[in-house]
Amino acid sequence: MEWKRDWGLTARVLLTGFLLFILYLVFMTVLVVLFPSISIFLIVGLAVVMGLVQFFFSDKLVLWSTGSRIIAEDEYPELHRTIEKLCHEADLPLPRIAIMQSPVPNAFATGRSPKHAVVACTDSIMRLLTRDELEAVLAHELSHVKNRDILTMTLASFVAMIASMIMQSFFFSALFGGNNRENGAAWIVVWIVSIIVYALSTLLMLALSRYREFAADRGSALITRNPRALISALTKISGRMEAVPPQAKAKVEAANAFFIIPALSGNTIMELFSTHPATEKRIAALEKIETEIRGY
C-alpha cells in the first residue's frame, strides 16, 4: 500500500491550524487597537526570534535535555541498518542516530527538516521490543520527520508564545507605555485577553499534537506494512511505563511532546493536558489501517 494521506485527519490538522491563525489575527487586532505603538511589535519580534531559535536548534536542545548522544554506525550496526532500510522505504535521507541511556522505554525524532533530522531511542526500548516492534516505532519517528512536524508545531506555538510574553510583561507594563490610569486599564484588558488566548492556543496545539501522532502511526503502518507490530509495541511500552520509577520519568518529562508515548511521573499538571492520544484510540486507528492494508 503506497503512502496516502488520511484526508479526514488532514482536514482536522488544517482546521486546527486555521483556528490558530484566526486566534492570532483577533489577538493582534486587540493589541494594535489598545497599544498602537512599537512595543507590541517588539513583543512579536521577540516571539519570532524565540521561534527561530526553537526551529533551528530544536535537535541540539532536545539531545541536550534528554542526555542523548549521537552514535557511530559501528557502535550499533543493527540499529543503523534498520533505520537505513526504513529511510529507503520512506524515501528519506538517513538521519543522525542517537541513543539515550534511560530506563524509560521510548523513542523520538527532532530536527527542522529531513536533512537535519535526528532519530533517537533509549537503550531500554531496544531491550524491551522485538525487531519488528522496534522497526515499527522507528518508522513512527521517521514519519514525524517526513511530515515535517517540528515545523508544524513551531508555527503552531507562535500565538501561545506571544500571549505568554504579554502575560509576563503585564507586571512590567511601565516599560511599555507609562503609568497613567488609562494605559493601566488597557494593560489589564490585554492581560485578560492574553490569558484567554494562551489557554485556547495551548488547547489547539495539544489537539494538533494528538493529530500528528495519529498521522505518524499511520505513516509507520504504511512504511512497514505491519501495523500489528506497532500495536504490540505501544502495548508493551505503555505496560512497561507503569513500572518505571517516577523519578526516572520525571528526568525526561520535559521531552514528552517528542516521545512516542509520554513518560508521566504523576507529579505534574502535564497529565491534565495530553500531547498524545490515548493508547486505546491509537490501537483502534491502527486496526482500521490494518484492514485497509489487507484489503478486507
Side-chain angles (χ1 to χ4, degrees), residues 26 109 157 195 221:
V26 171
S157 68
I195 293 173

Tab-separated table of all heavy atoms in Angstrom, residues 26 109 157 195 221:
chain	number	residue	atom	x	y	z
A	26	VAL	N	-7.193	37.888	15.680
A	26	VAL	CA	-8.027	38.560	16.681
A	26	VAL	C	-7.156	39.162	17.781
A	26	VAL	O	-7.347	40.313	18.202
A	26	VAL	CB	-9.052	37.572	17.283
A	26	VAL	CG1	-9.783	38.198	18.470
A	26	VAL	CG2	-10.060	37.146	16.219
A	109	ALA	N	11.970	11.792	17.556
A	109	ALA	CA	12.638	12.387	16.395
A	109	ALA	C	12.589	13.893	16.555
A	109	ALA	O	11.644	14.446	17.122
A	109	ALA	CB	11.947	11.965	15.104
A	157	SER	N	3.014	27.066	17.767
A	157	SER	CA	3.311	27.605	19.105
A	157	SER	C	3.489	29.119	19.116
A	157	SER	O	3.615	29.725	20.175
A	157	SER	CB	4.576	26.943	19.664
A	157	SER	OG	5.726	27.340	18.920
A	195	ILE	N	-4.447	35.834	28.654
A	195	ILE	CA	-4.700	34.583	29.378
A	195	ILE	C	-5.652	33.694	28.589
A	195	ILE	O	-5.424	32.484	28.430
A	195	ILE	CB	-5.279	34.876	30.783
A	195	ILE	CG1	-4.234	35.560	31.656
A	195	ILE	CG2	-5.760	33.585	31.450
A	195	ILE	CD1	-4.761	36.030	32.999
A	221	ALA	N	2.638	2.417	9.834
A	221	ALA	CA	1.945	1.252	9.264
A	221	ALA	C	2.187	1.145	7.764
A	221	ALA	O	2.364	0.039	7.232
A	221	ALA	CB	0.450	1.354	9.555
